[in-house]
Amino acid sequence: MSATGGRPSANAALHEGAVDPDPLVQMQRWLDDAYAASVIEPTAMCVSTAGEDGQPSSRIVLARGMTSRGPVFYTSYLSRKGRELARNPRVAAAFYWPELERQVRMTGIAERLSDEDSDAYFATRPRGHQLSAWASEQSEAVADRDILDQRVEDYAARFEGEPVPRPHSWGGFLIVAERVEFWQGCANRMHDRLEYAREGAAWRLRRLQP
Ligand SMILES: Cc1cc2nc3c(=O)[nH]c(=O)nc-3n(C[C@H](O)[C@H](O)[C@H](O)COP(=O)(O)O)c2cc1C
């Protein structure tokens, strides 16, 4: 840890002239900084979806890639978030890197990845994770843990000696970012906030009050 207790120095302040004109490039820079600062789970993001009644719900997922349009995460399409996104693809996400006093939040539209892309990612997962994806009906109630453990064993037997295929109900979402805000903690709570909003093919940048 540095003499400043791991806190960013004053030159970590966010300047309009120093950030990339593309927020997804800037996002990758901050992600790289989070890795360099040994943040635990730097790709963890809080994803919020809304139900039919407008009720939001949030959960942490891991961003498994940062594309030029936004982050990608993987989940069950039949989970609560999967079902909510199928009906209403408007989504919000937030990253927090406490060691760097940084937050990124974004809003956008969730798009399902192609089957080919989800297959390719699923194939890279450890076998145990793949079997769990088959065994868990994510977000559904279950009477006890034993039922789940038994299902894992059943699928292990079913796929013995062969690659585990991706369940059709499991795959990726790309969050196509429309608004991205970078927040840098500063002294005396006079924090820096720079917000990008998509305007056609370009991004408009403005400073928000802390
Ligand atoms: C650090 C962390 C990482 C997680 N990563 C994922 C993930 O990548 N995909 C996922 O479906 N759930 C992930 N989860 C579990 C979710 O937070 C959540 O419990 C689950 O997806 C069910 O959410 P839902 O019922 O709202 O759909 C993660 C949880 C934590 C704490």
Side-chain angles (χ1 to χ4, degrees):
M1 194 175 275
S2 71
T4 53
R7 281 165 184 257
S9 58
N11 61 13
L14 262 187
H15 294 298
E16 286 83 342
V19 292
D20 196 276
D22 183 332
L24 281 320
V25 173
Q26 183 63 32
M27 177 70 202
Q28 186 59 56
R29 275 191 203 161
W30 272 26
L31 207 46
D32 293 344
D33 290 346
Y35 277 108
S38 301
V39 170
I40 297 170
E41 300 288 17
T43 66
M45 60 174 176
C46 177
V47 170
S48 302
T49 56
E52 265 183 287
D53 56 0
Q55 173 67 56
S57 82
S58 301
R59 79 288 289 156
I60 303 294
V61 300
L62 298 182
R64 295 298 192 174
M66 190 58 62
T67 75
S68 60
R69 299 169 75 207
V72 168
F73 68 94
Y74 292 87
T75 194
S76 163
Y77 292 132
L78 300 180
S79 64
R80 175 173 181 171
K81 73 183 98 46
R83 288 175 195 271
E84 290 186 349
L85 289 174
R87 298 188 78 101
N88 170 14
R90 287 178 190 277
V91 64
F95 293 79
Y96 175 46
W97 300 298
E99 295 86 341
L100 297 170
E101 291 187 82
R102 285 178 175 176
Q103 168 182 248
V104 174
R105 52 203 288 237
M106 63 180 72
T107 54
I109 301 293
E111 280 182 8
R112 263 174 85 139
L113 290 195
S114 68
D115 286 346
E116 293 72 23
D117 285 348
S118 291
D119 285 343
Y121 177 72
F122 189 76
T124 69
R125 303 308 296 148
R127 196 171 176 87
H129 294 202
Q130 294 175 330
L131 293 171
S132 295
W134 279 93
S136 168
E137 294 171 355
Q138 194 178 54
S139 313
E140 298 299 321
V142 66
D144 60 47
R145 167 97 205 185
D146 292 347
I147 294 173
L148 294 172
D149 293 337
Q150 184 59 52
R151 274 200 224 143
V152 171
E153 280 184 33
D154 293 347
Y155 280 110
R158 174 168 157 191
F159 295 120
E160 199 179 340
E162 53 177 286
V164 180
R166 175 180 63 90
H168 290 303
S169 58
W170 189 98
F173 281 107
L174 164 66
I175 298 180
V176 181
E178 293 183 333
R179 210 170 262 267
V180 188
E181 182 201 313
F182 293 82
W183 183 101
Q184 174 71 65
C186 296
N188 301 320
R189 303 218 185 284
M190 192 47 75
H191 312 302
D192 284 321
R193 300 178 65 191
L194 293 183
E195 186 201 61
Y196 297 74
R198 194 186 282 283
E199 277 183 354
W203 291 96
R204 184 201 61 201
L205 180 65
R206 56 184 193 154
R207 178 172 287 267
L208 302 179
Q209 301 178 42

